Amino acid sequence: MVKLDDEEGAAVAPGHQPTNGYLLVPGGEPPGKVSAEPQNGPKAGCLTLNGVSRDSLAAPAEALCRPQTPLALEEETQTRLLPTGPGEETPGAEGSRVPQTALSARRFVVLLIFSLYSLVNAFQWIQYSIISNIFEGFYSVSSLHIDCLSMVYMLAYVPLIFPATWLLDTRGLRLTALLGSGLNCLGAWIKCASVEPHLFWVTMLGQCLCSVAQVFILGLPSRIASVWFGPKEVSTACATAVLGNQLGTAVGFLLPPVLVPNIQNNTDLLACNISTMFYGTSSVATFLFFLTIIAFKEKPQYPPSQAQAALQKNPPAEYSYKKSIKNLFRNIPFVLLLISYGIMTGAFYSVSTLLNQIILRYFEGEEVNAGKIGLTLVVAGMVGSILCGLWLDYTKTYKQTTLIVYILSFLGMVIFTFTLDLEYISIVFVTGGVLGFFMTGYLPLGFEFAVEITYPESEGTSSGLLNAAAQIFGILFTLAQGKLTTEYNPQAGNIFLCVWMFLGIILTALIKSDLRRHNINIGIANGDIKAIPVEDTVEDSPTDQESKTVTMSKPSESAI
């Protein structure tokens, strides 16, 4: 493959025309076999593209192709990608060009910056819960007040998700990123002014701002992956973006017990330790906010995939946020995924929030080990996320992978529940790691599966709705599991989650897998593009490419 010499060092994406005289795309035949077709005329059911002008064709366009098969009902949303006016060409029509795609080197910088400020936001979510008993004593409040510092993240998300996704879809990726990073920074600095026993309301105010920042963060992984990364790396990129949030949760489990140890009868030293944690967090958040201003761009110069190229051709005036929401809720597979994703992620939020209370019920005085167990849970999930992302990019088996990971998460929750009372903390480390590997590893799977079955709807909107469902279930599960844990025991609360996760397995099994974005990228939606020889007389450039001869054939029904 050749590299494009744009200012961002873009590399040619899969599906782009290389200069060796062939267009390499899925479903190609040996060059020698296909190259003979232009000499003898196209076969029945095929049409020749980009090689000759329309006026010089020997036969009318109608004679070169088969009648088009009407679109199925579930493909209705894809028709917006195809021109329908008089005299317009559809993808694959005579004289059309293969859209220019390229990969920008800046994509890694954008992904890194987002992952880091997402990390800081997730750290601030969990930093109170993992040492809840310490903050209860410092602020002289109940455990419910400390739980509210975590639940406010969930409470803020639900009413704000719709304006946030509207802003993302209408004002763009960069503005949304700046709001997320900026509010995260502001909330961290407000917390620095709350290190007094009577200033609980100030720390709640800072946490509320961080929770609003989260609304502009959680829906971005799939959008960043789709806008900046190619078809063979999009799932891995989404998993990496989610990884930043998971890593923040892991750091939130690990650092607070170390930075703020349980010191009895020494309020001044305790306040100093809390202040150190707050000021360190705000300094890092400020640095990342300035990096976002400097380096975070809206989109690359060229789209990274055919699916993105098709979306970018749509006039902005045709987009309707309200219609997009309606389309998503009419999509039965997405609704099933919405509920099942909410159950799984809500269960994870609940376990993370109450982990300190669960561990201390069986292992008194083990605050540090409770944090390490949480760290183990999330780090194992990070490994699971990356492996699942790589697997999806390699196999594109979205439903199968999602269902298997869901079942294994359920089994992990059952094992975790019934081994807690063995009173061996080493076993809890192992079972917590197994639970985290699958439960946290599921998160990017849900994002990517949603994008596939809802394309060409906005990735931000589908991801936002998934996160909203997760927050709703997270609030309900945290309240219910906390009540059961307090009045009965942690085992009762965990069994409650197991029952709901089993329901999620059933709903996931009912989802119909319709990989719309993948079909666009491999050419199934518009025909099966073959690789054939072309004359290598004109220099390829990212902005001006001469027409090449391409043969497209209608895919068989079995291929679809």
Side-chain angles (χ1 to χ4, degrees):
M1 296 290 183
V2 297
K3 288 190 175 182
L4 303 177
D5 296 325
D6 68 355
E7 68 275 8
E8 297 181 1
V12 177
H16 176 59
Q17 299 183 27
T19 55
N20 62 2
Y22 292 89
L23 174 65
L24 301 177
V25 287
E29 294 184 14
K33 178 178 179 181
V34 185
S35 60
E37 291 185 8
Q39 300 174 5
N40 301 324
K43 295 180 181 179
C46 300
L47 52 94
T48 302
L49 306 179
N50 300 341
V52 291
S53 65
R54 187 179 308 178
D55 296 334
S56 62
L57 290 175
E62 292 79 8
L64 297 179
C65 62
R66 298 176 181 174
Q68 296 183 350
T69 304
L71 291 175
L73 180 61
E74 61 270 15
E75 297 172 335
E76 179 182 355
T77 56
Q78 296 192 33
T79 59
R80 290 184 289 128
L81 300 176
L82 308 178
T84 55
E88 292 181 294
E89 295 175 346
T90 62
E94 301 170 24
S96 65
R97 294 182 178 181
V98 176
Q100 173 68 48
T101 62
L103 297 179
S104 168
R106 185 185 286 265
R107 68 192 188 278
F108 299 111
V109 176
V110 170
L111 183 62
L112 177 63
I113 292 173
F114 170 79
S115 298
L116 289 176
Y117 77 72
S118 178
L119 180 155
V120 176
N121 184 259
F123 172 82
Q124 296 193 80
W125 164 57
I126 207 67
Q127 67 181 160
Y128 295 99
S129 295
I130 199 59
I131 50 174
S132 58
N133 56 320
I134 296 175
F135 279 106
E136 286 173 29
F138 181 76
Y139 287 116
S140 300
V141 294
S142 67
S143 60
L144 181 60
H145 284 82
I146 302 302
D147 290 344
C148 285
L149 289 170
S150 293
M151 286 192 293
V152 69
Y153 265 60
M154 309 174 201
L155 290 168
Y157 197 92
V158 178
L160 294 177
I161 181 56
F162 293 106
T165 52
W166 174 85
L167 189 73
L168 174 62
D169 292 340
T170 57
R171 296 295 183 266
L173 190 60
R174 175 176 164 79
L175 178 60
T176 306
L178 288 173
L179 283 172
S181 183
L183 290 172
N184 192 52
C185 174
L186 180 60
W189 280 108
I190 289 177
K191 290 181 186 180
C192 294
S194 69
V195 191
E196 293 289 342
H198 63 283
L199 294 179
F200 177 79
W201 69 272
V202 177
T203 208
M204 176 62 82
L205 175 62
Q207 190 75 339
C208 287
L209 282 176
C210 293
S211 68
V212 174
Q214 178 212 214
V215 182
F216 299 101
I217 293 174
L218 288 187
L220 293 192
S222 55
R223 170 64 70 89
I224 290 174
S226 295
V227 170
W228 284 90
F229 289 83
K232 293 185 178 180
E233 56 188 13
V234 64
S235 296
T236 305
C238 182
T240 305
V242 174
L243 189 73
N245 202 267
Q246 296 172 358
L247 182 58
T249 305
V251 176
F253 281 126
L254 178 65
L255 280 186
V258 176
L259 296 175
V260 189
N262 193 359
I263 301 171
Q264 300 292 336
N265 302 322
N266 195 337
T267 305
D268 291 338
L269 182 57
L270 185 58
C272 181
N273 291 336
I274 293 174
S275 181
T276 299
M277 180 173 68
F278 284 167
Y279 274 102
T281 305
S282 58
S283 299
V284 175
T286 302
F287 173 70
L288 293 174
F289 176 56
F290 284 115
L291 276 184
T292 307
I293 294 174
I294 295 170
F296 205 102
K297 293 189 68 176
E298 178 67 31
K299 62 181 179 180
Q301 183 175 358
Y302 304 106
S305 65
Q306 298 296 337
Q308 275 298 304
L311 287 175
Q312 291 181 15
K313 285 183 178 180
N314 284 342
E318 292 184 4
Y319 176 76
S320 168
Y321 180 72
K322 185 177 179 181
K323 184 177 180 181
S324 179
I325 294 291
K326 288 182 178 179
N327 288 339
L328 290 175
F329 279 106
R330 289 178 191 156
N331 188 325
I332 301 302
F334 175 73
V335 173
L336 293 174
L337 179 62
L338 185 70
I339 300 172
S340 60
Y341 182 91
I343 292 172
M344 171 70 82
T345 313
F348 170 71
Y349 288 163
S350 181
V351 170
S352 300
T353 301
L354 301 173
L355 185 63
N356 179 266
Q357 299 176 35
I358 294 172
I359 300 301
L360 293 185
R361 178 67 70 92
Y362 294 100
F363 306 95
E364 187 176 350
E366 294 284 356
E367 290 90 356
V368 174
N369 273 328
K372 290 180 179 178
I373 291 171
L375 175 67
T376 302
L377 187 148
V378 178
V379 169
M382 290 161 54
V383 176
S385 294
I386 292 297
L387 292 179
C388 288
L390 291 170
W391 177 255
L392 285 186
D393 280 331
Y394 180 72
T395 65
K396 303 300 181 183
T397 54
Y398 289 86
K399 178 179 177 179
Q400 297 92 322
T401 305
T402 302
L403 182 59
I404 290 172
V405 170
Y406 214 120
I407 293 173
L408 294 175
S409 298
F410 167 75
L411 295 177
M413 189 67 196
V414 171
I415 295 172
F416 177 77
T417 299
F418 291 100
T419 55
L420 279 171
D421 56 0
L422 296 179
E423 297 186 359
Y424 289 101
I425 199 165
S426 58
I427 294 179
V428 182
F429 273 93
V430 175
T431 56
V434 172
L435 177 65
F437 182 86
F438 296 111
M439 183 177 277
T440 315
Y442 171 84
L443 303 182
L445 294 179
F447 281 152
E448 283 297 284
F449 196 14
V451 173
E452 288 291 340
I453 63 179
T454 61
Y455 180 89
E457 304 300 340
S458 168
E459 303 92 343
T461 306
S462 61
S463 298
L465 290 175
L466 288 181
N467 282 319
Q471 308 300 337
I472 293 172
F473 279 100
I475 294 169
L476 297 176
F477 287 171
T478 301
L479 292 173
Q481 187 185 12
K483 189 75 171 176
L484 291 170
T485 299
T486 302
E487 295 191 358
Y488 298 97
N489 54 58
Q491 192 175 81
N494 289 342
I495 292 174
F496 169 79
L497 294 182
C498 290
V499 172
W500 279 95
M501 291 174 68
F502 184 77
L503 174 61
I505 292 174
I506 298 174
L507 295 177
T508 302
L510 296 175
I511 297 173
K512 179 182 177 182
S513 183
D514 179 18
L515 308 183
R516 300 177 178 182
R517 180 181 65 178
H518 176 60
N519 290 345
I520 289 288
N521 283 328
I522 67 175
I524 285 181
N526 299 325
D528 200 11
I529 306 177
K530 308 284 186 177
I532 67 172
V534 293
E535 294 182 2
D536 194 16
T537 58
V538 181
E539 181 182 1
D540 289 326
S541 70
T543 55
D544 184 19
Q545 292 192 1
E546 292 296 327
S547 296
K548 311 278 187 178
T549 301
V550 189
T551 299
M552 296 184 68
S553 62
K554 181 180 177 182
S556 64
E557 293 181 2
S558 61
I560 299 178

